[in-house]
Amino acid sequence: MLSSVLVANRGEIAVRIIRGARELGVRTVAVYSEPDRLAPHVMEADEAYCIGPAASSESYLRGDRIIQVARDVGAEAIHPGYGFLAERASFAREVEEAGLIWIGPRSGTIASMGDKTEARQRMKAAGVPIVPGLVEPVVGVEAALEAAVGIGYPVLLKAAAGGGGKGMRAVNGPDELPRAFEAAQREALGAFGDDAVYLERYLDRPRHIEIQILGDTHGNVVHLGERECSIQRRHQKLVEESPSPVITPELRHAMGTAAVRAAQAVDYVGAGTVEFLFQDGDFFFLEMNTRLQVEHPVTELVTGLDLVAWQLRVASGEALSFEQEDVALSGHAIECRITSEDPFHGFLPSTGVVDHLDLPAGPGVRWDGGIHAGFPVSLHYDPLLGKLITHGKDRGEAIRRMARALDELVVGGVETSAAFHRGVMDEEDFRGGNLSIRYVEEHPELLDGAPSREELRVIALTATLLERLRASSPQATRMGTGDGRTGLSSWQRAVHPWSRR
Amino acid sequence: MRYFVSVAGEELEVELGDEATTVEGGIVEADLARVEGTDVHHLLLDGVSHRVVATREGKGAWVLHVGGRRYSVGVEDERTRTIRRMAGVGQGSGGPRPVRAPMPGLVVKVEVVEGDVVEEGRGVVIVEAMKMENELRAETAGKVRRVLVAPGDAVEKDQILVELDPLDGEDPTDG
């Protein structure tokens, strides 16, 4: 086993990796930007080193500084998490060349999968079904217009270098294409430093279903079942679950086998994800993410495997200790991404200091978080505050458990997406497993956010009592319409003359 | 004393009377207690349990966290309201309609120039925040009076980006 690992990330994923490493007795080294001095990952790691100011481009994206820290402090390996440098093949190669262990697939694998058009070519060659469309980037609006005719509208513009919805635009007709093309290029350039985009057919109501795979350095690759991540907004996943309510054992076998074939085609090592779009019983390769996914915990809960621990074992040269037929899915798990966004105002980012944090607990509940009370949420980084995950014996129990856990969660000081998730847990199509990636737009009522009559009454009464209390006796900690039954003491009644006698 | 509480675009009336407490005219039993040293409050409203995290923002202004959401709440007693109304505060005013930044961010593109006539829903400015582009649209039709930002500008929440003049024939006041 490795002796030490530097975690080149922040937030909940850095905390998750540090936890996994510490459980294996691996020394953990955090890096942080100046405003993250008191971030949870800094506190949880054995050691922490500052690598620059707030802007990611000057800190978490500074591969040179990160490698320097690893050398200076004798860290044996670098774990990139997701985002930031995780899918930059050039960084992985620099890590390899520095004589450090890269926790992830080889740089060559990342490069071939990071370029989405090359990935499509490779998958096609490996016999994995792909979404109809181009397998080369398109140069210029004219060429894009021409290609779109061949594919047939609506089409989807995508960044060749990208993922996560950045640089992605759906286009319904030729009149929309020039503007969308320009925006996609600009976003792709900003997010990935590369403005290459390509076109593929836009499927109307697919589900997003992905297969977790795990490979070792001895040539073994297994799949760990699927995750359904259909509930998305602007291609950002909001809710994920495993297993998918529509995947039969036969389909799981077919998709799992295709995913393993995809992984073997690029000599995959470590944890990875093969994403598919699924519609009318057919599945199409979307992309391969050569890293740990945000939603990995749902797979961990249903398979009982610790993916971070396996990443570290594989990076240490260990062979997988189990085979495909040993992988069994138990129960059902759901994850809600709790972000600092206001779901009732177009998911606008919210900033501020988390001034209060109550975390859910109890049976079948897991919180993978990257915040604590007193922590500032800024616009410099991803809005993901933490992930709430529940596990139940079946889907119904997992949903009811999630609803209960969301009721317990309080994040004060910033707006969060929690109330949106709470609405989803009660929504009929979700409960019935009737999902597609259009789920959010097909359920505008979930974005309405009008409080119930009862909530309004609670708010009105609480605010009035607080205002009155403040005016009359600021030190008091209790007030109400006291009588014998509510048990208020006599002084409280004396202080508050409106109390019923 | 009667109080008027404004929240989420609604106004509710609460009366803390000598005889009874009423919310929207209905008599209630209430017991509000605070966990000392914190903002955590617990309300028993007719025996039903509600956890509320409350912070004070100023006189009559609170932020309450209920049911997974934050609400900005205004509380005003009857007397204060009467005085304020007599002073004539709160008149609607005409003039240009601003397009404001809904969050802090970076201006990526300005899609209009002064003098443009825009329809309702037309994209006006693209602001990037947290690496995502957000297109801000005109809430009403209008003619662009002034463009106050340029690509590359960092903007604060609620900062005015573009001012629109209402089109002829429309009432410029909002009541």
Side-chain angles (χ1 to χ4, degrees), chain A residues 56 164-166 169 179 182-183 186-187 190-191 233-234 236 340-342 344-351 355-356 358 377-383 406-416 418-419 422 448-470 474-483 485-486 488 497-501, chain B residues 1 3-8 10-24 26-41 43-46 48 50-56 58-76 102-105 108-109 111 122-123 126 128-137 155 157:
Chain A
S56 313
K166 281 149 193 161
R169 285 285 187 288
R179 253 166 64 97
E182 200 186 311
R186 197 168 49 234
E187 232 176 74
R233 181 184 166 275
R234 296 169 101 186
Q236 300 277 359
S340 54
E341 295 173 308
D342 182 351
F344 308 117
H345 291 93
F347 282 86
L348 284 176
S350 169
T351 58
D355 59 19
H356 185 88
D358 282 342
V377 176
S378 76
L379 286 174
H380 289 293
Y381 310 115
D382 190 275
L406 285 165
D407 284 341
E408 290 179 12
L409 176 70
V410 180
V411 182
V414 290
E415 306 290 345
T416 79
R422 185 63 186 85
D448 168 31
S452 69
R453 220 53 227 170
E454 179 64 7
E455 280 172 336
L456 286 173
R457 278 160 39 89
V458 168
I459 292 163
L461 185 60
T462 304
T464 305
L465 291 171
L466 287 169
E467 190 65 19
R468 177 68 164 258
L469 188 64
R470 190 165 169 93
Q475 300 310 312
T477 59
R478 192 159 177 210
M479 71 180 310
T481 52
D483 63 10
R485 280 176 301 145
T486 57
L488 296 192
W498 61 86
S499 296
R500 203 188 299 166
R501 273 164 253 266
Chain B
M1 175 82 83
Y3 292 82
F4 302 95
V5 181
S6 51
V7 55
E10 304 229 20
E11 184 174 273
L12 286 88
E13 203 177 305
V14 177
E15 183 157 11
L16 303 181
D18 288 342
E19 294 302 314
T21 291
T22 64
V23 180
E24 294 290 88
I27 294 177
V28 297
E29 287 282 337
D31 175 8
L32 181 72
R34 185 178 83 221
V35 179
E36 232 177 315
T38 74
D39 293 328
V40 182
H41 296 73
L43 178 72
L44 284 169
L45 174 54
D46 292 328
V48 179
H50 301 276
R51 183 176 46 167
V52 182
V53 179
T55 47
R56 187 171 181 271
K59 182 172 163 51
W62 295 83
V63 171
L64 263 53
H65 199 296
V66 176
R69 292 193 60 193
R70 291 200 304 165
Y71 296 94
S72 288
V73 187
V75 187
E76 190 171 51
M103 69 271 168
V108 176
K109 191 176 180 190
E111 303 186 288
R122 157 84 193 272
I126 297 176
E128 185 190 283
M130 290 181 174
K131 310 285 178 220
M132 292 290 284
E133 291 190 1
N134 300 278
E135 185 167 50
L136 308 180
R137 296 164 190 279
V155 293
K157 184 177 194 291

Side-chain angles (χ1 to χ4, degrees), chain A residues 51 55-64 66 83-85 88, chain B residues 131:
Chain A
I51 49 167
S56 313
S57 57
E58 287 303 308
S59 49
Y60 296 105
L61 291 172
R62 284 296 296 265
D64 54 338
I66 291 168
F84 292 128
L85 297 166
R88 286 210 184 167
Chain B
K131 310 285 178 220

Side-chain angles (χ1 to χ4, degrees), chain A residues 53-225:
Chain A
S56 313
S57 57
E58 287 303 308
S59 49
Y60 296 105
L61 291 172
R62 284 296 296 265
D64 54 338
R65 287 188 193 156
I66 291 168
I67 289 172
Q68 192 58 50
V69 170
R71 283 182 154 157
D72 290 349
V73 306
E76 212 178 336
I78 292 184
H79 194 311
Y82 54 70
F84 292 128
L85 297 166
E87 289 178 280
R88 286 210 184 167
S90 56
F91 179 63
R93 196 172 49 246
E94 284 158 26
V95 171
E96 290 162 358
E97 285 168 4
L100 301 165
I101 296 170
W102 169 254
I103 301 190
R106 297 179 190 101
S107 56
T109 305
I110 302 174
S112 62
M113 286 293 125
D115 184 311
K116 303 304 170 192
T117 49
E118 188 190 336
R120 283 164 62 79
Q121 291 162 20
R122 288 238 188 179
M123 292 304 112
K124 208 173 168 182
V128 178
I130 62 170
V131 182
L134 302 182
V135 290
E136 304 272 338
V138 62
V139 182
V141 178
E142 290 308 316
L145 282 164
E146 200 176 303
V149 174
I151 296 164
Y153 287 98
V155 295
L156 193 61
L157 277 163
K158 293 175 80 172
K166 281 149 193 161
M168 200 182 292
R169 285 285 187 288
V171 182
N172 292 309
D175 50 319
E176 292 178 15
L177 201 138
R179 253 166 64 97
F181 188 78
E182 200 186 311
Q185 279 194 322
R186 197 168 49 234
E187 232 176 74
L189 186 66
F192 313 112
D194 178 353
D195 72 354
V197 298
Y198 72 99
L199 290 168
E200 65 182 34
R201 170 115 192 122
Y202 183 73
L203 297 175
D204 62 331
R205 266 189 108 254
R207 302 172 82 112
H208 175 116
I209 297 176
E210 60 188 31
I211 303 284
Q212 175 71 49
I213 55 129
L214 186 61
D216 64 20
T217 51
H218 306 270
N220 303 304
V221 181
V222 296
H223 75 81
L224 305 179

